[in-house]
């Protein structure tokens, strides 16, 4: 600890020593104040705030050293400070009075305080009043039982110690908020630390604060119940009571106490419920600081339960997209229903705190599918059952039944009964659409993964399937609108993409199968050729080798001519079989797999109507036009002689610079020599990106 | 045969000595090989044919391959995925390398055991050994070109060996890599060596090899200096008789090559990532014996000894015609030479098998057996208790003997020290 305070000491020593010599004897506190004053006086050119802060820190550092030096002389590490302490006590070391600090009696509190965030800037008397240290004669020391070195237990200290007139002692619970507020609601004091000054005001409007103020109920939480007394730690310290992972327990000290909650008619189970919820498990088990804890929904200083109709808004703080969809839905127009908690619960009785995961994430769905049967077709019914089992919340198609089941007895049953049938049918439809899209995506995904492990290259397909995934994620959110037609439309978009990918995969797999099948004729050819050639070899040997061999090659027996002929034909076929792939290889390569190459033409948000942009798709120029009714893409190659057409906004036509041809916005020829309309490409808007695929539609 | 010369023949003869050329070609084509020339004598031709196949498919691959860090792997993907029959030529090129090495090994075995390398064919043998080494060079440089994880790391590990050469090792390695690690420079120079340097060297030496071969004709099994020769009529004409025999085999080998390409294709793998080494990096099978042998030599001095020891077989191969100087060709009459040859083959085979199974995990009869880098199996306790040497020993006994045997064969102190060390090190490594 020496180096840091030593720097501080060197900073103040000149002014300090000067002051000591000027005033002769002065208590530490006075010296510190004088030093502050001196510095402010001599540093007028600098920002006062900075100076004050620096000096506060400096003085605090010096003082803490002095305190430790005085209170524990035997353990002192820096004897020079003891010397300075002796000097500043105004009397020689062998004098008649000794300085006693709060820590001399209140050792435990002092130790807690020393580790707290307040050790930086607050002193005992700031909260408790009175001086921070007392100068006592040896007689007083003896009288009050002070043995600086030995006595640490407060019990041994006589109660009769007079703390002085200014000493206010321990604040009552009613006083505490204002006590903390003296600093924490003071802008000047909080600004150097970058702390907010509204906690006090917020507290007074909270459920706790109102009860304290209006009913004088001292059972409610005050500052110290959440933040601690002497041991206040910063929020980001994992030991702090208000560290995000500790908050449920901190609130639980009261809210899980059945006896304490009873008079307020509050459930004491909520902390347990929270612990089981998706949010609680994220916070407590996974350490996810982004997941909500008590204060995220209820507020911290202004803690208050959100009203029944406001629960949706609370959830919407994080789940913004979902909230806006829910408000679009038929439920959005009815204020008095439990929008989020009504469905996202495991049990039939909604609890606000035990929020279960909404649906099974795609990756987990994929795992379930794999576990049911790898590669082969999975029975949709079996899949649905497995998914329902894995899902933490109510089953997708049963969610609606919670309110809309006819047999439900309850205060609102008549209201619900009016639209029961429609609602249930709608719910089942939506669930079916969503589940079909999920199954579709998963099966295609598994197929792509499976093929990626083989020799075929399916990078394009995987990329395209990524679009389907994006769409599906969006759809899982979009179902909150409960809009049947739009959901069906989005689901069909996913089906379209998976269909496209599957076709492409079929194509590639077919090619692979063809290769394998081709091996049969190759082997038949090789074996036939080999066997015939062997016979031919025997015959040649007979003809050429041996003493009796007189004939010349031309004189091979005529009846063996057919062998020569067949071998010649097979040989030619074989050579052709070798040359043909080589020729095909040299020819320009074409992209296989149904044109899955895709290009992003831009974002639809900054794309004006009747604006056209050019983009290269699979190396070819394509013009993407935002027509009145949506995006359309055409090949930019004029069908006449291959010049590149451009869009003329003024006339709203595509014009070709060669031969003055023009095409309508739908690609049809208006004038000029082109024989055919411009070929059209597929365009899709995926999550705001305008994507052109290479397949000409 | 010449008969009456035709008009076009005379026309050509006036301009390029057609008749001389024709008579020379004719003589070579119909050259009579010794009567005993059999099925064992076709491996040289098969190797030659594989070389031609590699040459042609290599040129085809060059049309699309791009030897840069960013594009090498992508271009291989392009060849495989988009170019018509690109997959076929790539697979034939990859499998052809393996078949070529196999053909060469059989060719060399035949030559060795039949004593064909003896006077006057010593230089034919030496050029043959050079051709073999060049082929291994092709394999080593070509393996990097796809620039996938396996090729990258196999090359990294392979070139580390060079670094252990005393004094000049590090410089040599840097020269080979073109830098301190495998990177663009390595890719460039391996590419150049693979497609420009080695092919030329190979063609030149191959021509020399073939000319020598034709000059001396094929060797018989008669002792050196006691060759009786053969009557012209008893000889086997190269064309068409010997060629017909070769054609029988060649067509089947091509079918095998294509089948391997279709049913056991080489994977393209993940692109090279210098930041993560995949599990189980091993060199190509024809480098495995040397690779495994080098593992038994640890420490700076051990590595140097290892390189020297693994260099011995190649030096022996080179110098063999000058070491074995007896006149016999019949294997029965040269027992010790055949013994050395058989021993060398089995040692290489044993090391190769050890190398293949080292650092793998096997499931035998419901038990999990981990084989460490020295090829010694350890039974892994299902309850995952820290294993001890005693547990592993009973099951490992058989293989341990083999391992010890093959290592002892090389006869150095380093392995004796290496093995106990390994069994002590293993528990720590495994857990």
């Amino acid at each position: 600890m020496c180096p840091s305070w030593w720097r501080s000491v060197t900073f103040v020593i000149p002014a300090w020593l000067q002051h000591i010599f000027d005033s002769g004897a002065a208590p530490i506190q006075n010296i510190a104040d004088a030093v502050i004053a001196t510095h402010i006086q001599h540093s007028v050119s600098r920002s006062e705030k900075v100076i004050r802060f620096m000096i506060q820190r400096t003085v605090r550092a010096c003082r803490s050293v002095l305190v430790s030096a005085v209170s524990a002389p035997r353990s002192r590490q820096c004897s020079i400070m003891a010397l300075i302490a002796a000097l500043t006590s105004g009397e020689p070391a062998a004098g008649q009075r000794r300085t006693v600090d709060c820590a001399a009696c209140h050792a435990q509190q002092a130790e807690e305080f020393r580790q707290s965030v307040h050790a930086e800037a607050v002193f005992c008397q700031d909260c408790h009043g009175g001086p921070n240290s007392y100068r006592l004669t040896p007689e007083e020391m003896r009288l009050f039982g002070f043995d600086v070195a030995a006595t640490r237990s407060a019990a041994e200290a006589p109660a009769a110690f007079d703390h002085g007139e200014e000493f206010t002692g321990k604040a009552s619970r009613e006083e505490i908020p204002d006590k903390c507020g003296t600093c924490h609601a003071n802008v000047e004091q909080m600004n150097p630390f970058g702390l907010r000054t509204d906690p006090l005001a917020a507290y007074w409007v909270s459920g706790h604060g109102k009860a304290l103020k209006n009913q004088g109920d001292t059972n409610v939480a005050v500052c110290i119940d959440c933040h601690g007394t002497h041991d206040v730690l910063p929020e980001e310290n994992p030991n702090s009571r208000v560290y995000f992972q500790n908050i449920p327990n901190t609130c639980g000290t009261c809210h899980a106490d059945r006896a304490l909650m009873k008079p307020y008619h509050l459930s004491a189970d909520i902390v347990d419920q929270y612990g089981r919820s998706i949010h609680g498990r994220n916070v407590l088990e996974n350490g996810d600081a982004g997941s909500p804890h008590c204060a995220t929904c209820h507020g911290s200083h202004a803690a208050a339960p959100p009203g029944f109709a406001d629960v949706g808004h609370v959830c919407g703080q994080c789940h913004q997209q979902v909230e806006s969809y829910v408000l679009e839905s038929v439920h959005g127009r009815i204020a008095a229903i439990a929008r989020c908690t009504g469905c996202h619960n495991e049990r039939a009785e909604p609890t606000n705190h035990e929020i279960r995961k909404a649906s099974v994430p795609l990756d987990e769905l994929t795992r379930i599918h794999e576990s049911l049967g790898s590669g082969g077709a999975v029975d949709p019914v079996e899949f649905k059952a497995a998914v329902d089992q894995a899902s933490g919340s109510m089953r997708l198609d049963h969610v609606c039944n919670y309110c809309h089941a006819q047999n439900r007895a309850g205060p609102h049953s008549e209201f619900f009964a009016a639209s029961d049938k429609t609602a249930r049918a709608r719910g089942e439809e939506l669930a079916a659409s969503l589940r079909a899209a999920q199954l579709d995506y998963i099966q295609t995904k598994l197929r792509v993964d499976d093929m990626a492990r083989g020799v075929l290259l399916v990078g394009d397909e995987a990329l395209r399937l990524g679009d389907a995934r994006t769409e599906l994620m969006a759809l899982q959110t979009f179902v909150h609108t409960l809009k049947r037609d739009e959901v069906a439309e989005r689901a069909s978009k996913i089906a379209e993409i998976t269909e496209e990918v599957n076709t492409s995969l079929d194509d590639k797999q077919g090619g692979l199968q063809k290769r394998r099948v081709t091996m049969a004729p190759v082997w038949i050819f090789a074996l036939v050729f080999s066997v015939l050639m062997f016979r031919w070899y025997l015959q040649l040997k007979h003809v050429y080798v041996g003493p009796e061999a007189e004939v010349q090659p031309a004189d091979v027996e005529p009846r063996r001519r057919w062998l020569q002929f067949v071998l010649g034909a097979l040989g030619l076929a074989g050579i052709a079989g070798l040359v043909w792939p080589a020729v095909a290889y040299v020819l320009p390569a074409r992209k296989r797999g149904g044109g899955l190459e895709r290009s992003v033409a831009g974002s639809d948000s900054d794309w004006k109507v009747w604006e056209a942009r050019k983009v290269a798709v699979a190396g070819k120029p394509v013009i993407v036009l935002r027509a009145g009714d949506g995006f359309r893409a055409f090949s930019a190659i004029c069908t006449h002689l291959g010049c590149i057409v451009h869009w003329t906004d003024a006339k709203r036509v595509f014009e070709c610079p060669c031969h003055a041809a023009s095409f309508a916005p739908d690609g049809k020829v208006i004038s000029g020599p082109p024989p055919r309309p411009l070929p059209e490409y597929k365009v899709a808007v995926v999550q705001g990106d305008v994507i052109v695929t290479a397949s000409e539609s | 045969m010449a008969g009456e010369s035709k008009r076009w023949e005379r026309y050509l003869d006036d301009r390029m000595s057609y008749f001389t050329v024709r008579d020379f070609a004719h003589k070579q084509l119909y050259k009579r090989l010794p009567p005993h020339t059999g099925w064992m004598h076709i491996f040289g031709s098969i190797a030659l044919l594989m070389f031609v196949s590699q040459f042609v498919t290599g040129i085809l691959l060059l049309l699309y391959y791009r030897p840069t860090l960013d594009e090498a792997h992508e271009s291989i993907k392009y060849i495989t995925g988009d170019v018509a029959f690109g997959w076929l030529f790539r697979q034939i090129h990859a499998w052809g390398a393996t078949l070529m090495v196999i053909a060469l090994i059989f060719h060399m075995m035949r030559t060795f055991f039949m004593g064909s390398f003896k006077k006057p064919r010593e230089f034919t043998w030496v050029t043959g050994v050079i051709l073999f080494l060049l082929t291994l060079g092709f394999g080593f440089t070509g393996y990097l070109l796809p620039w996938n994880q396996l090729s990258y790391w196999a090359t990294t590990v392979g070139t580390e060996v060079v670094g252990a050469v005393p004094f000049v090792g590090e410089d040599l390695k840097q020269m080979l890599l073109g830098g301190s690690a495998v990177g663009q420079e390595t890719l460039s120079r391996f590419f150049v060596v693979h497609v420009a340097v080695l092919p030329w060297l190979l063609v030149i030496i191959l021509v020399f090899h073939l000319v020598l071969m034709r000059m001396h004709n094929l060797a018989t099994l008669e002792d050196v200096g006691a060759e009786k020769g053969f009557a012209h009529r008893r000889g086997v004409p190269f064309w068409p008789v010997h060629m017909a025999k070769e054609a029988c085999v060649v067509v089947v080998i091509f079918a095998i090559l294509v089948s391997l390409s279709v049913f056991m294709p080489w994977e393209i793998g993940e692109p090279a990532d210098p930041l993560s080494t995949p599990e189980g990096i091993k060199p190509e099978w024809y480098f495995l014996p040397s690779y495994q042998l080098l593992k038994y030599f640890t420490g700076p001095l051990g590595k140097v000894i290892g390189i020297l020891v693994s260099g011995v077989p190649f030096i022996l191969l080179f110098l063999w015609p000058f070491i074995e100087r007896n006149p016999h060709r019949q294997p029965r009459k040269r027992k010790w030479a055949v013994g050395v040859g058989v021993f060398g083959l089995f040692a290489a085979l044993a090391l190769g098998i050890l190398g293949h199974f080292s650092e793998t995990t096997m499931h035998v009869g419901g038990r999990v057996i981990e084989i460490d880098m020295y090829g010694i199996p350890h039974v892994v306790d299902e309850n995952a208790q820290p294993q001890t040497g005693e547990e592993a020993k009973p099951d490992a006994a058989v293989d341990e003997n083999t391992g010890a045997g093959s290592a002892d064969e090389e006869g150095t102190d380093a392995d004796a020290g290496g093995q106990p060390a390994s069994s002590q090190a293993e528990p720590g490594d495994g857990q």
Side-chain angles (χ1 to χ4, degrees):
Chain A
M1 88 185 224
C2 276
S4 68
W5 62 256
W6 185 245
R7 256 178 279 127
S8 315
V9 166
T10 53
F11 176 66
V12 294
I13 270 181
W16 199 344
L17 289 179
Q18 191 188 354
H19 191 84
I20 290 165
F21 292 123
D22 288 352
S23 63
I28 297 169
Q29 179 60 37
N30 296 349
I31 294 176
D33 292 343
V35 170
I36 293 170
T38 315
H39 273 266
I40 292 169
Q41 194 185 341
H42 289 294
S43 314
V44 279
S45 61
R46 304 171 92 179
S47 154
E48 191 193 345
K49 198 170 91 180
V50 175
I51 298 294
R52 281 175 73 97
F53 184 54
M54 275 165 58
I55 290 170
Q56 268 177 356
R57 282 173 159 266
T58 310
V59 171
R60 187 198 62 77
C62 294
R63 188 181 302 168
S64 71
V65 170
L66 287 171
V67 164
S68 67
V70 171
S71 62
R74 279 183 207 161
S75 68
R76 76 180 65 130
Q77 292 172 329
C78 307
S79 52
I80 185 161
M81 286 318 298
L83 188 66
I84 294 173
L87 281 173
T88 54
S89 70
E91 284 163 350
Q96 292 179 325
R97 281 170 179 257
R98 282 179 66 186
T99 304
V100 175
D101 188 82
C102 305
C105 294
H106 308 282
Q108 193 193 332
Q109 287 88 335
E111 178 59 22
E112 282 176 5
F113 184 76
R114 198 179 62 74
Q115 290 175 4
S116 81
V117 67
H118 284 146
E120 292 271 333
V122 179
F123 310 107
C124 304
Q125 74 269 27
D126 290 341
C127 300
H128 298 291
N132 199 42
S133 54
Y134 300 86
R135 285 198 295 147
L136 304 177
T137 61
E139 174 57 20
E140 284 169 323
M141 295 281 286
R142 196 191 54 75
L143 195 65
F144 293 121
F146 284 124
D147 188 320
V148 175
T151 311
R152 291 207 162 254
S153 161
E156 291 176 42
F161 179 72
D162 180 13
H163 284 86
E165 281 173 18
E166 292 168 12
F167 181 71
T168 54
K170 195 170 162 185
S172 70
R173 290 179 68 82
E174 293 97 320
E175 289 169 350
I176 282 175
D178 283 327
K179 190 72 110 179
C180 297
T182 50
C183 295
H184 281 277
N186 184 330
V187 178
E188 277 180 20
Q189 272 170 304
M190 289 298 104
N191 272 1
F193 301 97
L195 292 176
R196 298 167 59 130
T197 51
D198 60 355
L200 181 65
Y203 176 76
W204 289 128
V205 298
S206 75
H208 299 139
K210 278 182 195 161
L212 182 66
K213 189 158 232 169
N214 301 340
Q215 280 114 46
D217 181 355
T218 54
N219 277 335
V220 298
V222 294
C223 312
I224 57 167
D225 294 314
C226 300
H227 294 284
T229 47
H230 297 103
D231 55 345
V232 178
L233 292 174
E235 192 185 0
E236 57 278 3
N237 185 327
N239 293 324
S240 163
R241 289 182 177 84
V242 290
Y243 184 65
F244 78 96
Q245 277 188 306
N246 300 336
I247 284 180
N249 264 338
T250 303
C251 298
T253 47
C254 300
H255 283 276
D257 186 334
R258 218 163 282 283
L260 197 57
M261 287 299 111
K262 204 172 177 209
Y264 304 97
H265 306 291
L266 287 176
S267 162
D269 298 327
I270 53 168
V271 180
D272 279 349
Q273 286 171 1
Y274 171 77
R276 288 193 297 268
S277 75
I278 177 78
H279 298 140
R281 276 157 59 185
N282 273 346
V283 168
L284 300 172
E285 290 167 24
N286 305 336
D288 176 5
S291 262
H293 45 69
C294 315
T296 319
C297 302
H298 295 282
S300 47
H301 300 106
F308 181 69
D310 292 328
V311 170
H313 299 305
V314 171
C315 301
Q317 285 173 23
C318 297
H319 303 277
Q320 291 160 351
Q321 183 70 66
V322 180
E323 192 201 4
S324 76
Y325 282 149
V326 170
L327 292 177
E328 269 182 56
S329 77
V330 62
H331 293 156
R333 283 171 243 141
I334 309 164
I337 54 173
R339 286 192 198 106
C340 305
T341 52
C343 303
H344 291 288
N345 265 287
E346 183 185 27
R347 289 175 291 173
E349 275 307 314
T351 64
N352 290 339
H353 296 93
E354 195 168 348
I355 300 294
R356 288 305 179 115
K357 73 186 163 193
S359 51
V360 187
L362 271 183
D363 294 334
E364 204 178 318
L365 284 180
T366 313
R367 273 196 296 280
I368 291 170
H369 194 283
E370 269 177 319
S371 69
L372 286 178
S374 52
V378 166
D379 181 20
V381 179
E382 204 183 329
F383 179 64
K384 177 178 173 295
V387 172
D388 285 341
Q389 204 179 2
S391 163
S393 353
M394 271 192 264
R395 281 153 59 186
L396 205 52
D397 46 0
H398 282 214
V399 165
C400 310
N401 287 4
Y402 171 63
C403 299
H404 288 289
Q406 276 167 321
N407 56 2
R408 184 174 184 270
H412 307 297
S413 57
E414 272 175 39
F415 168 78
F416 289 122
S419 49
D420 267 353
K421 226 174 170 175
T422 331
R424 281 206 307 274
R426 177 72 60 93
E428 271 156 33
E429 266 175 68
L430 292 175
S433 291
L434 189 59
R435 189 172 290 115
Q438 284 172 340
L439 193 62
D440 204 14
Y441 165 78
I442 288 166
Q443 284 176 342
T444 317
K445 164 94 174 117
L446 287 174
R447 192 172 169 209
V448 169
D449 288 351
D450 192 43
M451 282 173 74
R453 282 192 283 272
V455 283
L456 290 177
L457 299 171
V458 291
D460 285 344
E461 285 80 359
L463 206 63
R464 186 76 178 116
L465 200 59
D467 289 344
R469 189 191 167 91
T470 315
E471 286 287 345
L472 187 51
M473 304 281 276
L475 180 62
Q476 288 177 353
T477 316
F478 187 77
V479 285
H480 289 95
T481 59
L482 306 180
K483 291 177 179 167
R484 178 183 48 196
D485 296 341
E486 280 94 328
V487 168
E489 192 189 317
R490 283 179 168 229
S492 73
K493 209 161 159 189
I494 296 167
E496 214 172 279
I497 298 175
T498 54
E499 172 77 28
E500 213 175 291
V501 170
N502 273 316
T503 314
S504 173
L505 292 179
D506 285 343
D507 207 27
K508 290 190 173 174
Q509 226 163 21
L512 197 63
Q513 193 56 34
K514 217 160 74 187
R515 283 181 207 172
R516 294 190 175 135
V517 171
T518 317
M519 288 319 293
V522 166
W523 270 103
I524 292 170
F525 170 85
L527 293 176
V528 167
F529 186 85
S530 189
V531 168
L532 291 182
M533 189 52 108
F534 185 66
R535 293 189 66 176
W536 180 241
Y537 158 71
L538 292 177
Q539 201 173 342
L540 284 172
K541 199 172 162 191
H542 177 72
V543 170
Y544 276 93
V545 186
E548 72 282 6
E550 296 290 337
V551 283
Q552 289 296 309
D555 301 331
V556 180
E557 290 171 63
R559 64 192 173 88
R560 293 292 186 195
R561 287 273 178 196
W562 69 270
L563 192 57
Q564 202 175 3
F565 176 76
V566 171
L567 279 174
L570 283 177
L572 280 179
I575 289 167
L578 291 176
V579 170
W580 170 56
V583 171
Y585 177 90
V586 175
L587 292 175
R590 68 188 164 82
K591 193 87 186 165
R592 259 148 244 264
L596 281 186
E597 196 160 301
R598 53 205 270 294
S599 299
V600 178
S603 138
D604 79 333
S605 57
D606 59 347
W607 199 311
K608 293 196 287 284
V609 177
W610 297 117
E611 184 188 345
R613 294 182 193 177
K614 278 186 192 176
V615 60
V617 180
K620 288 184 189 166
V622 171
I623 289 192
V624 188
L625 174 70
R626 183 167 205 164
D629 53 350
F631 288 95
R632 294 185 82 173
F634 299 95
S635 163
I637 303 169
C638 177
T639 49
H640 179 220
L641 289 178
C643 298
I644 304 299
V645 301
H646 55 82
W647 172 252
T648 308
D649 197 21
K651 298 188 219 162
R652 291 206 179 149
V653 289
F654 296 105
E655 285 186 316
C656 179
C658 316
H659 310 108
S662 61
F663 300 86
D666 60 357
K668 293 211 177 75
V669 183
I670 297 177
S671 65
R676 291 181 308 278
L678 292 172
E680 190 166 0
Y681 283 71
K682 272 189 194 166
V683 198
V685 181
V686 177
Q687 293 293 294
D689 280 338
V690 181
I691 291 171
V692 187
T693 27
S695 57
E696 293 176 10
S697 61
Chain B
M1 226 165 242
E4 271 187 33
S5 52
K6 298 187 178 94
R7 216 179 126 202
W8 63 270
E9 289 175 322
R10 283 197 303 280
Y11 175 87
L12 278 183
D13 191 50
D14 290 343
R15 281 154 185 85
M16 44 177 290
S17 312
Y18 170 72
F19 291 118
T20 319
V21 174
R22 190 192 65 180
D23 289 347
F24 174 77
H26 197 264
K27 199 177 144 201
Q28 288 302 317
L29 200 59
Y30 286 91
K31 181 160 181 146
R32 295 273 170 161
L33 308 176
H36 79 285
T37 306
W39 293 97
M40 300 296 282
H41 285 80
I42 60 172
F43 290 117
S45 302
I46 290 172
L48 179 62
L49 191 92
M50 291 319 302
F51 173 65
V52 172
S53 158
Q54 292 299 87
F55 208 88
V56 172
T57 51
I59 287 173
L60 288 176
L61 292 176
L62 264 181
L63 291 183
Y64 296 107
Y65 177 72
R66 295 188 288 271
T68 65
L69 293 194
D70 295 335
E71 294 191 305
H73 192 257
E74 280 302 308
S75 65
I76 299 278
K77 273 185 171 175
Y78 178 71
I79 291 173
T80 313
D82 294 333
V83 181
F85 291 104
W87 62 272
L88 180 65
F89 290 118
R90 186 179 105 82
Q91 295 296 345
I92 287 187
H93 197 72
W95 272 113
T98 284
L99 291 196
M100 187 169 168
V101 175
I102 293 176
L104 282 181
I105 288 173
F106 277 105
H107 181 48
M108 288 173 87
M109 276 163 63
R110 207 274 307 152
T111 312
F112 182 89
F113 289 118
M114 284 191 171
S116 307
F117 56 84
K118 295 199 171 181
K119 185 188 169 186
R121 298 182 183 82
E122 292 98 327
F123 289 159
T124 323
W125 170 268
V126 170
T127 51
V129 174
I130 297 175
L131 288 175
F132 180 63
L133 295 180
L134 287 180
T135 308
L136 294 185
F138 267 114
F140 189 65
T141 51
Y143 196 64
L144 179 67
L145 300 187
W147 201 248
N148 57 32
Q149 277 286 69
L150 283 182
S151 72
Y152 178 90
W153 289 103
T155 306
T156 302
V157 173
T159 46
E160 278 301 319
V161 174
V162 182
V165 173
F167 308 118
V168 292
E170 194 53 32
D171 293 332
L172 214 58
K173 188 185 115 190
Q174 297 230 357
M175 201 170 79
L176 200 63
L177 295 183
S180 53
V182 180
Q184 174 64 60
E185 286 73 18
T186 320
L187 185 60
S188 297
R189 52 188 70 194
F190 273 41
F191 175 69
V192 168
V193 169
H194 189 80
V195 305
V197 180
L198 287 178
W200 276 109
L201 279 177
L202 191 101
V203 165
I204 292 167
I205 295 168
L206 183 62
V207 166
F208 198 54
H209 188 74
L210 292 177
V211 166
L212 284 173
M213 187 266 290
R214 295 317 289 236
M215 195 188 282
H216 301 305
N217 205 339
L218 298 186
T220 59
L221 281 171
E222 294 146 332
D223 288 356
V224 174
E227 292 99 342
K228 294 190 203 70
F230 55 91
H232 181 74
R233 285 236 154 269
R234 288 203 156 274
V236 182
F238 180 68
W239 172 271
V241 184
H242 188 70
M243 290 284 270
K245 193 196 277 182
E246 284 177 345
C248 294
V249 181
V250 160
V251 68
V252 173
I253 287 183
F254 250 98
I256 291 173
L257 188 55
V258 178
S259 300
L260 285 171
S261 304
V262 169
F263 291 107
M264 296 176 66
W266 290 72
E267 284 189 9
I268 296 174
E270 295 292 309
D273 177 7
L275 299 182
S276 80
T277 313
E279 295 279 317
I281 284 297
K282 289 209 184 126
E284 278 292 78
W285 63 271
Y286 36 84
F287 291 120
L288 269 181
S290 302
Y291 174 71
Q292 186 64 18
L293 182 59
L294 285 171
K295 281 192 203 165
Y296 296 106
F297 299 93
T298 48
L301 185 64
K303 272 189 179 176
V304 175
I305 296 172
I307 286 176
L308 292 180
V309 169
S310 60
V312 166
F314 293 99
I315 294 168
L316 282 180
L317 269 185
F318 254 110
L319 300 180
W320 195 254
F322 311 105
I323 293 171
E324 192 198 346
R325 300 184 66 90
N326 65 61
H328 303 301
R329 287 206 167 94
Q330 279 285 358
R332 267 168 293 153
K333 293 181 189 164
R334 23 195 297 265
K335 289 211 167 65
W336 70 270
V338 171
V340 169
V342 169
F343 167 75
L345 276 176
F346 273 98
L349 198 65
L351 280 173
I353 290 171
L354 278 178
H356 179 75
F357 287 109
S358 68
E359 294 166 65
T360 56
T361 307
M362 288 202 295
H363 299 266
V364 180
R367 278 199 291 186
V368 182
I369 295 177
E370 270 181 10
I371 301 172
D372 68 11
M373 65 175 275
Y374 300 102
I376 303 165
H378 299 273
V379 176
V380 180
D381 196 347
E382 299 287 326
N383 302 327
Q385 285 163 354
Q387 72 182 64
T388 61
E390 283 76 22
E391 271 177 66
K393 259 180 189 163
D395 305 276
V398 180
D399 290 70
E400 202 162 16
N401 289 343
T402 339
S406 59
D408 285 349
E409 281 154 19
E410 301 307 323
T412 57
D413 295 335
D415 0 330
Q419 286 202 337
S422 78
S423 46
Q424 280 161 12
E426 180 58 17
D429 295 345
Q431 305 303 319

